[in-house]
Amino acid sequence: MSSNTSSNAFRPKTIISLKSLFLTVIGVVCAVVAIKGFMIPNHFLDGGLLGISILIHEFYNIDVSIPLVVLNMPFVYIGYKKIGKNFATHAFLAVILLGIVMNLLPVPAITKDHFLTAVFGGVFVGLGIGFVIRGGGVIDGLEVIAEYSNKKFGLSTNEIIMAINTTIFLIIAFYLGLEKAMYSIVTYYTALKVSDYVVDGFEKLISLTIISPNADLVKQLIVNNFNKAITVYKGERGNLPGSFHVKHDCDIIVTVVSRLEVHKIKKAIQEADPEAFTYVQNIGEITGGIVSKRKSH
């Protein structure tokens, strides 16, 4: 049997696990607090399907839970076809639970201050989206259609999401005013950052690259002092303006560290070798290797 078939196999235990349900419930409650406690009372919107749903509520006075559930269902189906049964089931349960909690949980308006609404509304939306993703589902199917459109039209996921959200914010600016649109952008950006932290945690991995004239010293420091694996590329230093033909062979050292570790490792390298050149890059995903094994534990 192919690995593709096995990865799409339905696994009831992963769906009814207490951890998954707990994270989904916490996420849904946070999202409902954001929608009913901050955004609807102040006529604020977010990006994605949540923003579209609140926009429909603003225009037609329809209970926001109805468009939120209805708009997500096609994306749950696309997720089923393109990602798998487990994901689709998680997403379906999360969306249905969101609709139920929206109608059953009373949440009063928490503040009328626009800045607090933009910031804390975004925080609670981000917590909601992040915890539901950690539980295995989604409550905003925009990511699903973006991934699908990526393959169809050759645009990146971020480009597709940005195009849709830009359209939403332009509609907000036209109908609700420029100020509401700007505050809604703050809400969206806050939600995006908070959800990233919830999903990735503080263990988000970063690639640290070091080019140093004292490469052996840096290698020993990273491996022995910080217990990190390294990869070494053979490169060339020099080629500077005014001395282009002056160059030296060098080792380019690459290691993968967590968000919390990167600052102290960079500081230690600079103290040991002030001439070292370092730069960092965010990593979307890793598979295999020592870092991947440690992270899975």
Side-chain angles (χ1 to χ4, degrees):
M1 184 178 291
S2 70
S3 59
N4 210 15
T5 306
S6 62
S7 66
N8 198 42
F10 185 71
R11 300 182 181 89
K13 288 184 179 180
T14 65
I15 293 173
I16 61 174
S17 70
L18 289 177
K19 180 181 178 181
S20 172
L21 290 175
F22 176 74
L23 290 172
T24 300
V25 169
I26 292 295
V28 165
V29 170
C30 287
V32 170
V33 169
I35 296 167
K36 297 179 70 174
F38 290 98
M39 301 176 75
I40 290 178
N42 294 285
H43 308 287
F44 272 44
L45 282 81
D46 185 26
L49 297 185
L50 175 56
I52 296 172
S53 300
I54 298 177
L55 203 57
I56 292 171
H57 167 76
E58 290 286 334
F59 287 165
Y60 302 106
N61 201 29
I62 298 174
D63 188 319
V64 73
S65 65
I66 296 173
L68 199 52
V69 172
V70 171
L71 289 174
N72 267 294
M73 285 305 159
F75 303 111
V76 172
Y77 177 73
I78 293 171
Y80 167 74
K81 299 295 287 185
K82 299 295 177 182
I83 300 175
K85 296 176 182 177
N86 289 296
F87 168 80
T89 306
H90 278 291
F92 178 79
L93 290 175
V95 170
I96 295 299
L97 186 60
L98 178 63
I100 293 171
V101 176
M102 279 286 295
N103 285 283
L104 295 182
L105 183 65
V107 181
I110 296 172
T111 181
K112 290 294 184 181
D113 184 279
H114 285 181
F115 180 75
L116 292 177
T117 298
V119 173
F120 285 96
V123 167
F124 277 96
V125 168
L127 289 172
I129 292 172
F131 279 124
V132 171
I133 291 174
R134 289 290 293 267
V138 292
I139 51 175
D140 191 322
L142 197 59
E143 291 277 355
V144 177
I145 192 63
E147 289 289 350
Y148 180 66
S149 301
N150 183 343
K151 297 175 183 178
K152 284 282 187 181
F153 304 111
L155 298 172
S156 72
T157 299
N158 286 337
E159 287 171 338
I160 295 163
I161 292 174
M162 184 59 69
I164 295 171
N165 286 331
T166 299
T167 304
I168 295 171
F169 294 134
L170 287 174
I171 295 171
I172 297 170
F174 186 78
Y175 286 100
L176 301 179
L178 185 59
E179 184 179 276
K180 287 289 175 68
M182 290 190 291
Y183 275 123
S184 296
I185 292 171
V186 173
T187 302
Y188 169 72
Y189 185 77
T190 305
L192 184 67
K193 290 300 178 182
V194 172
S195 64
D196 282 347
Y197 271 97
V198 173
V199 174
D200 295 328
F202 287 102
E203 292 186 354
K204 181 178 177 65
L205 295 176
I206 291 171
S207 172
L208 176 61
T209 302
I210 308 100
I211 302 171
S212 168
N214 302 298
D216 289 337
L217 175 64
V218 174
K219 291 179 200 174
Q220 292 178 19
L221 178 69
I222 295 172
V223 175
N224 296 331
N225 291 25
F226 292 98
N227 196 31
K228 295 293 177 184
I230 60 173
T231 298
V232 180
Y233 297 95
K234 298 300 179 181
E236 190 176 84
R237 297 178 67 241
N239 304 113
L240 299 174
S243 57
F244 177 75
H245 298 292
V246 178
K247 50 194 173 184
H248 311 279
D249 293 337
C250 70
D251 289 342
I252 301 171
I253 305 158
V254 180
T255 186
V256 176
V257 300
S258 74
R259 194 200 309 265
L260 292 179
E261 294 171 319
V262 66
H263 177 70
K264 63 181 180 181
I265 293 178
K266 282 177 60 182
K267 184 178 178 181
I269 291 170
Q270 288 299 316
E271 289 176 352
D273 181 10
E275 295 183 23
F277 172 75
T278 64
Y279 65 91
V280 299
Q281 293 174 294
N282 289 325
I283 297 176
E285 181 182 353
I286 61 165
T287 56
I290 294 174
V291 174
S292 182
K293 291 175 183 177
R294 285 177 181 166
K295 200 168 189 285
S296 67
H297 295 294

